[in-house]
Amino acid sequence: MSATPPPRPTRSTGPRAPSAGPGPDRPADPDRQSAAPPRRRRPLTGAARENRAGLAFVTPTFVVVLVVVVLPILWTVLLAFQHARLVDIQGMSLFGRWTLDNFSGVFSSPGFWTSLWTTLLYTVGATAGSVVLGLVAALALRRPFRGRGLLRGSMLLPYVAPVVAVAFVWETALSPQFGIVNEWGGKLLGWDDPIAFLSTRSFEVSVLGAHFDLPLALLTVIAFETWRYFPFAFLFLLARLQAVPEVLEEAAKVDGATPSQRFRYVLLPQLMPVIALLCVLRFIMTFNKFDDVYLLTGGGSGTDVVAVRVYDFLTARFDVGAAAAQALVLAVVLMALLGVYFAFFAKRVQEEEE
């Protein structure tokens, strides 16, 4: 007989045991919930990564500008509308007693309008002189010759030398007692008496029988500013001249143009955008200039520019509010002059460039 196979186990058809999962009558297991995998963050797009990198690069610069530029300007504006003395400034609150007396005192103070006019003359003369002298130097050192590199490097000496050193050299050279300028003037030009260039407000000059007075100290300071900052214009103009194609000048030579005509119709249109930029930059820098004038004359002998008056208000009168008000007026006048320039002259320069 063959052995019969054992019976297979049959699936139970009885009631199922309750499941271990959560249900309406069974709370969820907190251990199983904590073991659930976390959601994955969506990957950043390329634009988002670029924005984050840009913010990371810009933030340090923004913080420096905020601390060094914006906050001092806001603090100056607040001080201009308050009674602020130098001895009381530590105990002052941020928003003290508001007043307009500082501005009325500035506009009614003796010598303010004369100082503003002197500042304009000084700024216009020094700006024009430095740009013109830089243009002449750039044209003279444009063509190659032996020793050109050494001469170009020496042109930068007035600009890179410390202002205290060059101011002392000028004071010594222009001294009426032992200055070399008066020594040469007496021997070569026949000067009868030495001239005090830095302490003479007006100097009478006779030309062809006509007598007129020159603001000698102011002209001397303008000459110093021109000499000191013409290398700044020289660098800009020389770089632009090096980029002018030689084909343009060669074509003008073939057409029979004279050197003055080549400069007027070929080189000058190429240089006008650079000259306009230099005029704006030098005007802003010279209008706020303090150290050159103060080191040479101390603001005396008709060289009392507004920047020196601000310093005098602060150090001689200890009036911080009046000094801040005068500095604010100086900034407003400068913005108005630049607005006039951009409204009228900038369009002409752009038209000539096109």
Side-chain angles (χ1 to χ4, degrees), residues 160-279:
V160 300
V163 61
V164 177
V166 293
F168 178 75
V169 170
W170 273 63
E171 286 181 356
T172 304
L174 298 176
S175 174
Q177 287 82 20
F178 41 82
I180 191 174
V181 175
N182 281 289
E183 182 71 18
W184 287 357
K187 292 181 178 180
L188 301 178
L189 302 178
W191 292 354
D192 296 331
D193 299 318
I195 301 174
F197 288 92
L198 297 176
S199 58
T200 303
R201 178 181 291 269
S202 62
F203 185 77
E204 185 178 356
V205 177
S206 177
V207 178
L208 300 178
H211 299 273
F212 53 92
D213 294 332
L214 291 178
L216 186 60
L218 181 60
L219 291 178
T220 305
V221 173
I222 291 175
F224 175 81
E225 189 79 7
T226 299
W227 170 81
R228 175 162 166 73
Y229 291 101
F230 89 90
F232 183 79
F234 166 74
L235 288 177
F236 277 74
L237 294 171
L238 182 62
R240 185 65 188 93
L241 283 173
Q242 297 295 106
V244 175
E246 296 184 1
V247 179
L248 299 178
E249 289 191 84
E250 292 177 358
K253 286 182 181 180
V254 172
D255 292 338
T258 61
S260 61
Q261 290 175 336
R262 293 199 301 269
F263 172 75
R264 171 65 183 86
Y265 297 103
V266 177
L267 295 179
L268 191 58
Q270 301 287 331
L271 296 175
M272 279 307 297
V274 179
I275 292 176
L277 176 62
L278 284 172
C279 289

Side-chain angles (χ1 to χ4, degrees), residues 61-127:
T61 304
F62 174 76
V63 172
V64 171
V65 172
L66 180 65
V67 174
V68 177
V69 179
V70 178
L71 292 181
I73 291 176
L74 294 178
W75 181 236
T76 302
V77 173
L78 291 176
L79 289 175
F81 291 94
Q82 300 183 47
H83 286 293
R85 307 289 295 184
L86 190 60
V87 294
D88 303 329
I89 195 170
Q90 291 184 350
M92 291 179 56
S93 60
L94 185 60
F95 300 98
R97 296 174 299 169
W98 297 95
T99 179
L100 295 176
D101 293 342
N102 292 329
F103 292 95
S104 61
V106 167
F107 288 116
S108 61
S109 62
F112 170 74
W113 298 105
T114 303
S115 175
L116 186 59
W117 176 248
T118 302
T119 304
L120 289 175
L121 290 179
Y122 168 69
T123 303
V124 173
T127 300

